[in-house]
Each structure stands twice: as structure tokens, then as C-alpha cells.
Amino acid sequence: MSNTPMAASPLTRAVLEIDEYVSGLGWDQPARLFALVDTARLRAQEPALAAQLGLDADESETAGLTPIEQDELPSGKPLDDFLGTIAWPDAVVGCALSVERLMLPPSAEAQVPQNLSEAKLTQWVAQHPERQEVRMTVAVLRDGSRESAIRLREKDSPTEVLTGPELVPGLAEALTATFAD
């Protein structure tokens, strides 16, 4: 977590840590899912795992969150269908997802042809001259807190990452639903 601001909230730090990790893997990556666990609780209850993750017991941070990458997401299954199958154990206080997508600026919304199938719409967006390739990392906690980080491929720098709780509301809501009973 080398470039993450210490003044940020634990959730913001976790999102930026995940963004930095995924960024180090390069672009054109599959979606990645992370469980978020309370760092102090992890150190106390699973010291061997904490040591394996490089979480020193003498570290002063007590309010942190540790992201733990989950198994690879199944290919060919729509993301929202997959998220609907997730059930987290009590030790998981939150989760995060990092996914790459093509986005258009709001000014392009009026140009979208009507009645396109999902496949045709995807093709239309991919060919649009104003499209932007982005990596979105969205995290939520059981208490409803949320945070997002967006990185544009053309501005691939840690200083150019946008953060905010409402940047990707639909994905945040889908992740929050994974904690519903």
C-alpha cells in the first residue's frame, strides 16, 4: 500500500490498495473479487494468515481493512448473475470488485440508438470515437458504506485515479446485495 494516503478512511485506503494492486497486473484483466476483513481481527484470530499476508503484529494501524482476493470469477456468466450467488461469512466486513469497462461521456447519451440488443449496444459503444476504457474498483461494507476508484486507461497513473462513494452506484448496490440475508 505504498501510494495510499494515510489520512483517507480505511475503506478508501482499501479501494486504492486494490486499484494499485490490479494496476500492477496491467490492463485487459478479468474482473477480480475481494473480501474485506478487519485487519486487527485478522491478526488476532488468524496470525499465520496475517503473517503470510505481510501484516506485522506490531503495526500501529488498528482501523484498517485487508483485501483478500477470491477465486477467479467464472467466465461466461454475467457479473450480476454471479454476484447474486455470493454469501459471505460473518468475518467478512465488506467486499470489493475491480472490473474493466468501456464508458461514454454523458454527452454521448443522446446519440445511443434505441432498441439495440445488449450485444449490438456493446458493439456500438466499442466503436464510438469518444469511448474511454476504464477500470472501476468498487467496495462496500456491511453497514452500507461505499467507495469507488476509477482509472482511465489513457491516464494510467496513481495521481489520476478518481475516488468517491457515488461514482458507480449500480455496482455498489449489487455488491451491497451480496450481504443481504
Side-chain angles (χ1 to χ4, degrees):
M1 198 165 63
S2 59
N3 294 322
T4 306
M6 292 310 295
S9 74
L11 187 57
T12 301
R13 288 195 307 269
V15 164
L16 290 172
E17 180 180 351
I18 292 167
D19 173 75
E20 184 178 340
Y21 163 74
V22 174
S23 174
L25 300 172
W27 285 87
D28 304 317
Q29 295 291 316
R32 295 178 183 278
L33 181 66
F34 298 82
L36 298 176
V37 297
D38 180 271
T39 302
R41 184 174 172 189
L42 177 65
R43 282 190 199 116
Q45 295 180 351
E46 299 285 345
L49 177 58
Q52 184 181 356
L53 294 172
L55 302 172
D56 299 329
D58 62 342
E59 220 173 278
S60 61
E61 184 178 333
T62 58
L65 296 168
T66 298
I68 300 175
E69 188 171 6
Q70 303 301 290
D71 292 335
E72 191 170 309
L73 278 63
S75 61
K77 187 169 192 174
L79 188 58
D80 45 344
D81 289 348
F82 170 72
L83 291 175
T85 67
I86 295 175
W88 296 104
D90 291 340
V92 174
V93 298
C95 66
L97 183 76
S98 184
V99 63
E100 295 176 13
R101 291 290 186 258
L102 291 176
M103 293 182 75
L104 294 176
S107 61
E109 283 184 31
Q111 302 169 13
V112 177
Q114 298 299 312
N115 303 320
L116 289 180
S117 68
E118 191 171 331
K120 292 280 187 189
L121 179 60
T122 299
Q123 182 181 17
W124 184 84
V125 170
Q127 295 172 348
H128 195 282
E130 294 179 77
R131 73 186 177 282
Q132 291 283 325
E133 234 177 304
V134 299
R135 181 180 301 116
M136 302 176 288
T137 302
V138 179
V140 300
L141 297 180
R142 284 184 188 270
D143 69 6
S145 302
R146 55 175 66 175
E147 186 61 81
S148 306
I150 295 182
R151 181 185 291 250
L152 298 173
R153 188 170 190 158
E154 75 175 24
K155 294 183 178 185
D156 193 2
S157 164
T159 61
E160 297 289 335
V161 175
L162 303 172
T163 60
E166 297 298 328
L167 295 177
V168 193
L171 185 51
E173 289 164 16
L175 290 172
T176 299
T178 66
F179 292 105
D181 293 331

